[in-house]
Amino acid sequence: MSARTESHFDSFHSPYSEAPNNVQSPFSGPIARSRSTSGTSFTTAKRPLHMLSDTFQSINSTKRLRRQPEEYDQQSESQVRISVTSIPNTVPPGAPVDCHQHIVDTADLLASDWRNDLYRTRPQLVMHYMDLYFTHVNSATYRMFSRDTFMDWMRSTVHKSLDELMVVYSMLAVASIFSNQDTSRSEGSAFARIARYALEKKHGHFTLQLAQSRLLLALCHFSTGDLTKAWDYCGSALSVAAGLQMNSEQGILKNTEGTPLDFGLNRHGLEECYRRTYWSAFVMDRYNRTGSGVVFSFQKEDVFLRLPCNEVCYDKQMKTDTPYFDNGNIDKQMNNAHDPQSLGFMAYLIQISTIWSDMLATIYRSKHQSPKAYLVGYAQLYDDTNLRLDSWLSSLPSSLQLTAKNASSSVIRGYADTFITIHSLYHTTGMTLNRRVRHNLLAADLIRRNLHKAVQHADGLLTMMQTLRNATTNPSSSPSRLSAPFPAYSILHAIDILSSAGSLDPPTQRDNLRTWQSGLAVVEQLASFWATAKQQRAQITRRIEAIVSGVLAAEGQGLRAWIVKSPMEAPVGGPDQDIFYTHHAGLDAGDMVRNLTALGADVKERDILYVEDASVQPASPDGGRSPKCDLGDTVRVRMLGRGGSEPRS
């Protein structure tokens, strides 16, 4: 699939808010108002298929009239005005037109659309978006459905339930994120309005499909950068999962026994669909709270559920015997009889997400501990997390082991998003564990240990990105496009570490730039789909520009190294829990450079160039009487010479 153009993404209005005031439903016919002695009634005429494209053009032509999402939130959906230009002219020439005749109840339109199985009327449109959904969403993090089983059901089932259609429209809305067609914005808006209307009507009636639809709309809002609404939808999906007791095998059996089978699944397939829906909510809950310091809705100790099976078993809807999730409480003997080879890729994602989120929660809580309690707790966290990371890494099947061959193979075989996400989580866990510490309480040798370990993980991550970049640009590989959003966060974290200090030696600079640009190229791909990645791309670009500009401005000054004074990523526990930036860390600038570069022990403070990003406005180095190289609103570079004096000539 070709990339969505930048201008298309820049102007992409969130399609998950209310309908514009003058747009009719794109899936139902024009509304005519007829008068009767008993009052006003409304009749819906069936709209010919060939006219649907005209309707979508009408939607596109009115996008300038759309208001901001917060304004929509205050608007009642009880009425919507239909543009008279979008309705076939049935009025005799010269007769006066009463525009008020075209006031209709939005609910009538949305209810009609919800009942409409769009595959029966526009199969090519549905197949286009379903292919995108299963390529970019279901094959990455949230593997809720079996592609072949679902598509067979979609094509063969004439009478789908309203719950099932609610999920279908939610899937189409998410898929529109990844489409580069001109009509994808308007179509995605229409899909999402129908899905949200269905959710409102199903409020309080807990079903599997309600949880799935809420998760999918959370993903829609995340794509536009509306993180509050994404969190809201995710939280409401978690409430459904809790209400249905989907966190235990007993709860799933209770939901599936003696009930109609959904999506063409048999009993075993439906049980697995429940499991995967719960695990999708579990993982999304952890992603949405990254760095927020907010506790997770689902605690791992309360999960008594089997891990997802492999895709072959799910496609065949076989009864599987996967191990239970290790929540720290479950009897490990229960898993001895289960076949670990039956685990699917999603199981390894769940396990590494749990290690990462456990570590994040502990780091956040640790800032409230006494110094003595912190030192004991951090030592235990450090050892336990490293043991869990090593155990997880050794448990990976051969196809998921971190090798250059596997990275290239993941692109060719279509599971690159899963491959890159699980290893991004692995390296991000290692970077965060070593970086986010209360450095004022740690001995200097422990700080040096953490610096080196964090750099190793950052290097490992960007090396993987370089391998993936080479694979996706190789014409013979028929590459799939990367689309999972988490790796962009990991790349930002890695570059934030690796660019915090460096040598001014020209060959080293070239190597640094090549490494950073390989990560930036991946973020560039993801910025086509995710607003968060677009912001991360801007931050990384500013950082690289600041360093390059500072180095150029310092030519001939005899300086040997640089230090960046301000982090791109805000510390989880505050500035006291970041060891990589000199005005926060316990080491002086010369010691930082010696630990983060190959330069010798003779590097002094006077040999260092200080670089700042204007957007974060960090504190100046001590003695901050420094000239500036003004590069506009994007980059601001400060240079210091000996002891904070003017740069050397």
Side-chain angles (χ1 to χ4, degrees), residues 580-608:
F580 272 90
Y581 289 85
T582 56
H583 64 294
H584 296 325
L587 303 178
D588 63 36
D591 204 5
M592 285 289 293
V593 168
R594 285 189 290 274
N595 278 280
L596 296 176
T597 70
L599 296 175
D602 60 333
V603 176
K604 307 298 182 185
E605 182 106 11
R606 65 187 180 184
D607 300 318
I608 298 171

Side-chain angles (χ1 to χ4, degrees), residues 272-320:
E272 181 68 12
C273 189
Y274 266 90
R275 290 188 195 100
R276 287 167 174 253
T277 300
Y278 175 84
W279 286 123
S280 294
F282 182 90
V283 171
M284 185 181 288
D285 182 40
R286 277 140 179 79
Y287 282 1
N288 280 354
R289 297 166 198 263
T290 301
S292 67
V294 180
V295 295
F296 305 112
S297 299
F298 278 140
Q299 301 304 311
K300 69 172 186 178
E301 292 80 8
D302 298 322
V303 182
F304 300 91
L305 199 61
R306 295 187 189 277
L307 291 165
C309 66
N310 62 50
E311 302 308 311
V312 173
C313 292
Y314 191 24
D315 289 341
K316 294 181 178 180
Q317 303 187 63
M318 299 167 55
K319 180 176 175 58
T320 57

Side-chain angles (χ1 to χ4, degrees), residues 540-550 613 631 634-635 637:
I540 294 170
T541 301
R542 278 197 300 268
R543 170 61 60 87
I544 294 175
E545 287 178 349
I547 292 174
V548 170
S549 301
D613 288 326
L631 301 175
T634 305
V635 178
V637 179

Side-chain angles (χ1 to χ4, degrees), residues 56-108:
F56 287 127
Q57 291 176 8
S58 174
I59 294 176
N60 282 328
S61 68
T62 59
K63 67 179 182 181
R64 65 182 182 277
L65 300 177
R66 293 184 180 182
R67 287 164 287 178
Q68 296 300 314
E70 58 269 20
E71 297 178 19
Y72 285 127
D73 291 339
Q74 300 170 4
Q75 177 192 3
S76 169
E77 285 193 272
S78 60
Q79 289 184 325
V80 59
R81 183 178 299 277
I82 306 300
S83 170
V84 294
T85 61
S86 66
I87 298 178
N89 184 14
T90 57
V91 181
V97 177
D98 182 2
C99 293
H100 295 286
Q101 289 183 358
H102 303 295
I103 302 296
V104 298
D105 190 345
T106 307
D108 286 350

